[in-house]
């Protein structure tokens, strides 16, 4: 959702609660509170500028934290702790293939979503 520039509406529990700052990159509602969900939708429906601002902010965040970038960072951390030689070279190739594969998967996902 973030990389696609979406405004997020999440329940304030678990992972989404940690990722979303209320009013900054989405809106949070208490878990199981149907009235709060309705009010959040009404707030968004009445404020296109807020949707645009949050969407742009999320797009920037998503691009900075794309799967490709995250996989690259992770591979560097792991490879820094692996001794040199054949194993290191093999791991580098595996990570490069993984980054390419994940990138292809997400490109297809976003292309499909935009149809």
């Amino acid at each position: 959702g973030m990389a696609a520039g979406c405004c997020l509406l999440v329940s304030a529990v678990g992972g989404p609660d940690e990722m979303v700052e209320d009013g900054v990159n989405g809106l949070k509602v208490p878990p199981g509170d149907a009235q709060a969900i309705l009010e959040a939708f009404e707030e968004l429906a009445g404020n296109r500028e807020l949707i645009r601002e949050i969407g742009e902010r999320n797009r920037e965040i998503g691009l900075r934290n794309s799967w490709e970038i995250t996989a690259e960072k992770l591979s560097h951390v792991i490879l820094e702790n692996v001794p040199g030689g054949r194993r290191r070279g093999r791991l580098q190739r595996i990570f490069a293939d993984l980054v390419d594969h994940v990138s292809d998967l997400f490109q297809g996902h976003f292309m499909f979503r935009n149809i």
Side-chain angles (χ1 to χ4, degrees):
M2 290 180 115
C6 295
C7 178
L8 304 177
L9 175 59
V10 301
S11 181
V13 293
D17 184 42
E18 296 170 9
M19 291 176 25
V20 173
E21 186 176 343
D22 194 38
V24 175
N25 63 336
L27 298 179
K28 291 184 185 182
V29 295
D33 188 339
Q35 183 63 37
I37 294 170
L38 175 63
E39 290 171 5
F41 274 119
E42 288 174 343
E43 178 181 353
L44 292 173
N47 192 343
R48 299 269 183 206
E49 183 63 19
L50 177 64
I51 293 171
R52 188 190 63 72
E53 288 174 6
I54 289 174
E56 287 178 7
R57 199 171 298 126
N58 284 343
R59 178 82 174 136
E60 291 172 13
I61 292 168
L63 291 174
R64 283 195 313 264
N65 298 299
S66 71
W67 285 108
E68 290 174 308
I69 292 170
T70 302
E72 286 285 342
K73 289 177 183 176
L74 178 62
S75 71
H76 288 295
V77 169
I78 292 171
L79 290 171
E80 285 174 1
N81 295 296
V82 172
R86 290 178 50 189
R87 285 180 43 198
R88 183 180 175 95
R90 184 166 184 259
L91 277 174
Q92 286 174 317
R93 288 189 300 279
I94 289 170
F95 279 118
D97 289 345
L98 177 63
V99 169
D100 289 343
H101 181 68
V102 169
S103 176
D104 290 345
L105 286 174
F106 278 91
Q107 287 297 326
H109 171 73
F110 289 122
M111 287 172 37
F112 178 77
R113 286 190 49 149
N114 292 329
I115 291 176

